[in-house]
Amino acid sequence: PGLRAHPLFTQCANALLASFKIWNMATVGGNICRSFSAASMVSLAVGLDATAHIWHRDGADRDLPVADLVIGNGINVLGPGEVLRAVDFPGHALAARTGFRKIALAELGRSGAVVTGRIDPDGTTVYGITAATEWPTVLRYPSPPSADRLRHDISAAPGYHTDPLGSADWRRAVSAVLAEEIRLELEGTA
Ligand SMILES: Cc1cc2nc3c(=O)[nH]c(=O)nc-3n(C[C@H](O)[C@H](O)[C@H](O)COP(=O)(O)OP(=O)(O)OC[C@H]3O[C@@H](n4cnc5c(N)ncnc54)[C@H](O)[C@@H]3O)c2cc1C
């Protein structure tokens, strides 16, 4: 009760490429640590401000935002012997209203862009872009942004990339369209 963000968990799990094997065998930690830009457990964690709890083999441990863990397509800041032990989701994000959109060139294909949005109980608004950018893009506002502001910030963000799943220009453009759909949905005016 009160954890209104729960639909995002199913939506992000279903955003993984349609494979029985992945849906049933892949782990949340493995998906985050593989760190592909299309890693939808990264989309989930970034969209909800989750923190990675990391064990080091010398016994030390550290915490950092999942958004800072992934720094490229298949690249992260984990050092040799480090293990992702847990992912912590803060209560304020779990209490948020959320929106989700995914687009892929093929109906069940790997994501070209995944956009999440959320409005916390205090009005803080966060948009996350993954798959379209090589590393997670997080846009944070003290209150819901206008359509113009959101479109501008998404268009100006760095990191849009080109690969067989889509061109950088297409990814930039569809990210803005998907975010606007979420913005309207969260405003209740969609
Ligand atoms: C058909 C198919 C479809 C796929 N679709 C997608 C997709 O849509 N999006 C996507 O991102 N990927 C996809 N993948 C790639 C990959 O299978 C997934 O990213 C998957 O979620 C990885 O999870 P896993 O538990 O199998 O990780 P593993 O393959 O077991 O591990 C991945 C890497 O992370 C390391 N690792 C695992 N757990 C931890 C941990 N707790 N701490 C530190 N390091 C760890 C492993 O040592 C390894 O280097 C796909 C693969 C296949 C075969």
Side-chain angles (χ1 to χ4, degrees):
L3 301 184
R4 290 191 294 183
H6 71 86
L8 207 54
F9 286 76
T10 306
Q11 290 164 331
C12 288
N14 287 336
L16 286 167
L17 178 60
S19 159
F20 182 84
K21 184 168 59 178
I22 299 305
W23 281 344
N24 290 281
M25 297 299 292
T27 63
V28 173
N31 188 247
I32 291 174
C33 293
R34 191 61 194 85
S35 301
F36 284 139
S37 58
S40 59
M41 293 300 100
V42 173
S43 315
L44 173 68
V46 166
L48 295 178
D49 286 345
T51 300
H53 183 62
I54 296 165
W55 277 355
H56 192 266
R57 60 186 168 193
D58 69 4
D61 57 9
R62 61 183 175 130
D63 295 294
L64 80 166
V66 174
D68 296 340
L69 179 76
V70 180
I71 56 172
N73 189 3
I75 307 169
N76 61 47
V77 299
L78 288 177
E82 285 194 319
V83 172
L84 173 60
R85 179 63 182 90
V87 181
D88 292 324
F89 291 85
H92 67 266
L94 291 173
R97 287 186 295 119
T98 60
F100 172 92
R101 293 289 187 284
K102 163 195 163 148
I103 191 166
L105 291 177
E107 189 182 350
L108 297 176
R110 194 178 280 203
S111 303
V114 172
V115 182
T116 62
R118 71 167 217 264
I119 302 181
D120 291 354
D122 70 356
T124 300
T125 303
V126 178
Y127 285 86
I129 301 170
T130 46
T133 50
E134 287 191 284
W135 56 85
T137 299
V138 183
L139 302 172
R140 198 176 297 279
Y141 305 92
S143 58
S146 67
D148 286 348
R149 175 80 194 275
L150 185 59
R151 186 173 57 249
H152 170 271
D153 291 350
I154 288 177
S155 301
Y160 292 100
H161 66 126
T162 296
D163 67 6
L165 307 173
S167 69
D169 283 349
W170 174 76
R171 284 176 146 132
R172 182 183 293 106
V174 296
S175 296
V177 171
L178 298 178
E180 175 59 10
E181 288 183 13
I182 293 173
R183 194 188 68 83
L184 293 173
E185 186 178 291
L186 291 175
E187 268 190 357
T189 54

